[in-house]
Amino acid sequence: EAGVAQSPRYKIIEKRQSVAFWCNPISGHATLYWYQQILGQGPKLLIQFQNNGVVDDSQLPKDRFSAERLKGVDSTLKIQPAKLEDSAVYLCASSLSPEADTQYFGPGTRLTVL
Amino acid sequence: AQSVTQLDSHVSVSEGTPVLLRCNYSSSYSPSLFWYVQHPNKGLQLLLKYTSAATLVKGINGFEAEFKKSETSFHLTKPSAHMSDAAEYFCVVMLTGTASKLTFGTGTRLQVTL
């Protein structure tokens, strides 16, 4: 079974530029999560989707971050404009349902903002 | 509110000696608890989970953890460390419900020496 796929694996941008990350969850998983992991910290949930609807985006900085999952499968996370403090690893995870107790994580995208 | 505290940011052991990674939790409800491992440049992998069944939980690669409600602890152990165990370990709490959320600890970096 293929795991959660993410791209790109690494991205370096200047501050105030925009960037987008892509995630393809495990086939059949209805729930998709985006996490931000700052160096030296544990991952923090940014947004949770159930199919193509948002379940929880309370921790998403909506003035600069946006995410979508238009067809209920792939998802993109965008940052515009980026700030220095956005440097982090962005992790995508998926699960069968919101109630499922196991989330499967992708390898992450490491973003460096200069 | 739910949270976990990992008591050690860094643990160093010799190969073949026991491993103990400590985690205390705080939750108003009966929690689900997890340990995840993160190897460099790889995604988070589930080691084991506690979901109110047996208090001693066995996971992959010889790891196990014991849920102790009286001590609000969920420490991770392994009888004999291997070089391949060197990684970052995260203790995680989840409040089950219609939109399950994972709250991560700050992580413990395990170093294994010869």
Side-chain angles (χ1 to χ4, degrees):
Chain A
E1 176 184 84
V4 177
Q6 291 188 247
S7 68
R9 292 295 310 277
Y10 305 91
K11 190 73 177 179
I12 300 173
I13 61 172
E14 301 279 338
K15 60 183 179 183
R16 291 188 290 274
Q17 287 186 323
S18 63
V19 64
F21 312 128
W22 173 83
C23 172
N24 181 241
I26 293 173
S27 178
H29 281 196
T31 309
L32 184 146
Y33 312 79
W34 282 102
Y35 290 84
Q36 180 192 57
Q37 185 178 15
I38 293 172
L39 186 65
Q41 299 180 18
K44 182 187 77 172
L45 179 68
L46 291 175
I47 189 167
Q48 177 183 351
F49 290 94
Q50 169 66 10
N51 296 314
N52 59 355
V54 175
V55 174
D56 182 357
D57 63 356
S58 58
Q59 298 296 309
L60 188 73
K62 299 180 187 63
D63 58 333
R64 297 183 300 106
F65 286 64
S66 64
E68 60 183 15
R69 194 184 183 200
L70 292 176
K71 296 182 179 179
V73 181
D74 294 5
S75 176
T76 56
L77 176 69
K78 297 179 182 178
I79 308 175
Q80 183 179 12
K83 292 185 175 181
L84 296 177
E85 59 261 35
D86 298 331
S87 293
V89 176
Y90 291 85
L91 296 164
C92 179
S94 69
S95 64
L96 280 171
S97 67
E99 296 81 17
D101 60 14
T102 300
Q103 296 181 19
Y104 298 85
F105 286 80
T109 297
R110 183 177 297 278
L111 173 67
T112 302
V113 182
L114 302 175
Chain B
Q2 57 184 4
S3 65
V4 288
T5 301
Q6 292 186 243
L7 301 173
D8 307 291
S9 60
H10 183 262
V11 170
S12 182
V13 301
S14 300
E15 190 176 33
T17 64
V19 175
L20 170 63
L21 305 183
R22 299 181 295 165
C23 173
N24 287 348
Y25 71 90
S26 173
S27 177
S28 303
Y29 304 91
S30 181
S32 293
L33 293 160
F34 308 78
W35 278 96
Y36 277 83
V37 61
Q38 187 175 37
H39 288 92
N41 299 315
K42 292 192 176 180
L44 288 154
Q45 181 184 18
L46 180 66
L47 272 179
L48 50 80
K49 61 183 177 183
Y50 166 77
T51 54
S52 75
T55 56
L56 182 62
V57 182
K58 294 188 183 297
I60 61 172
N61 300 333
F63 284 94
E64 63 181 37
E66 186 171 7
F67 174 75
K68 292 187 176 180
K69 187 174 182 179
S70 60
E71 299 176 10
T72 61
S73 69
F74 190 58
H75 300 334
L76 181 70
T77 60
K78 183 174 180 178
S80 176
H82 191 272
M83 294 297 289
S84 61
D85 295 328
E88 188 88 18
Y89 291 80
F90 291 95
C91 182
V92 183
V93 62
M94 180 172 78
L95 182 62
T96 55
T98 57
S100 302
K101 287 186 183 181
L102 296 185
T103 301
F104 285 76
T106 51
T108 298
R109 179 163 297 280
L110 176 64
Q111 181 182 15
V112 183
T113 59
L114 288 172

